[in-house]
């Protein structure tokens, strides 16, 4: 029996998170990249798209986790825990309440927490120090400015940086111009 057939049998041809029966496909659960019976879940297009692009998350769709979080399948428990954690961090109190009720075996919880470190989504300077809005930074190497022949010289101070949606970038004014700067090329003052 193929992996997909085994997964379809396990989930009774329903999305393992929301129970939809349309457009099912397996999703490998991080940190795994290979689709195997032990490290994949069968999901509909809606669930898969929102897991892969959390910025497009429809909060109300995830109310289905109220049921799926009780699944006995560890892969489903991991996905439910991760989604509830994301929603809880966005201020959804109902998700936080479900997380408080949810029980995971130690091994399953460790798997669920893998890759959920809050700090990985924060901009860090060359020394790994977290950068925050309003910080002053020093450029650590000459940086060419895209679209021009100008260069931001090493040692240039950028005052009062702002954070962007991309945790690798900060924005600020250097030499009188507003621009985005890669955080790892800065040192916090």
């Amino acid at each position: 029996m193929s992996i997909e057939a085994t997964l379809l049998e396990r989930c009774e041809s329903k999305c393992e998170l929301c129970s939809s029966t349309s457009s099912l496909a397996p999703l490998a659960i991080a940190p795994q990249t290979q689709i195997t019976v032990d490290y994949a879940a069968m999901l509909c297009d809606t669930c898969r798209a929102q897991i892969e692009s959390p910025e497009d998350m429809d909060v109300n769709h995830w109310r289905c986790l109220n049921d799926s979080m009780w699944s006995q399948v560890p892969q489903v428990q991991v996905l439910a825990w991760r989604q509830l954690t994301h929603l809880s961090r966005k201020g959804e109190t109902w998700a936080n309440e479900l997380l408080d009720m949810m029980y995971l075996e130690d091994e399953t919880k460790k798997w669920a927490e893998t890759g959920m470190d809050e700090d990985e989504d924060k901009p860090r300077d060359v020394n790994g120090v977290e950068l925050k809005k309003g910080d002053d930074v020093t450029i650590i190497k000459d940086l060419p400015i895209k679209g021009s022949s100008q260069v931001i010289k090493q040692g240039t101070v950028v005052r009062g940086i702002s954070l962007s949606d991309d945790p690798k970038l900060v924005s600020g004014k250097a030499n009188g111009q507003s621009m985005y700067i890669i955080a790892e090329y800065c040192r916090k003052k």
Side-chain angles (χ1 to χ4, degrees):
M1 191 180 287
S2 73
I3 292 171
E4 192 165 331
T6 305
L7 289 171
L8 280 169
E9 184 179 308
R10 177 181 80 198
C11 70
E12 299 174 353
S13 297
K14 294 178 187 171
C15 174
E16 292 188 274
L17 292 178
C18 74
S19 299
S20 171
T21 56
S22 63
S23 303
L24 299 177
L27 175 76
I29 302 170
Q32 299 295 321
T33 55
Q34 299 281 349
I35 293 177
T36 66
V37 173
D38 295 330
Y39 295 103
M42 194 60 87
L43 302 180
C44 67
D45 285 342
T46 305
C47 288
R48 193 174 336 97
Q50 291 188 41
I51 287 172
E52 292 172 349
S53 300
E55 63 276 358
D56 299 329
M57 188 181 291
D58 173 12
V59 173
N60 288 323
H61 173 77
W62 293 108
R63 293 198 181 261
C64 62
L65 296 174
N66 190 36
D67 296 325
S68 57
M69 69 184 238
W70 302 111
S71 171
Q72 296 300 306
V73 179
Q75 298 88 314
V76 178
Q77 293 173 348
V78 166
L79 288 173
W81 187 89
R82 287 178 181 175
Q83 287 306 104
L84 287 170
T85 301
H86 282 301
L87 290 162
S88 177
R89 289 178 183 167
K90 289 181 172 244
E92 296 296 327
T93 54
W94 63 268
N96 197 35
E97 290 168 2
L98 291 179
L99 269 176
D100 288 343
M101 289 189 289
M102 192 172 186
Y103 173 79
L104 297 176
E105 295 290 335
D106 290 340
E107 187 175 308
T108 306
K109 181 139 189 193
K110 185 176 178 183
W111 179 16
E113 290 172 340
T114 303
M116 288 296 294
D117 183 17
E118 285 183 49
D119 293 337
E120 78 181 38
D121 290 332
K122 296 181 181 172
R124 302 217 173 254
D125 74 358
V126 67
N127 298 320
V129 175
E130 181 184 339
L131 297 174
K132 296 183 178 164
K133 182 178 179 179
D135 285 345
D136 295 340
V137 296
T138 304
I139 305 299
I140 62 162
K141 70 180 225 171
D142 289 354
L143 297 174
I145 299 173
K146 275 189 180 180
S148 80
S149 59
Q150 294 180 325
V151 174
I152 301 174
K153 295 284 186 193
Q154 177 181 349
T156 301
V157 175
V158 180
R159 299 194 186 284
I161 64 167
S162 296
L163 306 180
S164 69
D165 292 337
D166 185 345
K168 295 178 184 170
L169 300 175
V170 295
S171 63
K173 281 191 174 185
N175 301 333
Q177 278 186 298
S178 292
M179 63 187 68
Y180 285 99
I181 305 163
I182 298 172
E184 65 187 30
Y185 296 140
C186 302
R187 179 180 298 115
K188 187 173 177 177
K189 288 191 78 149

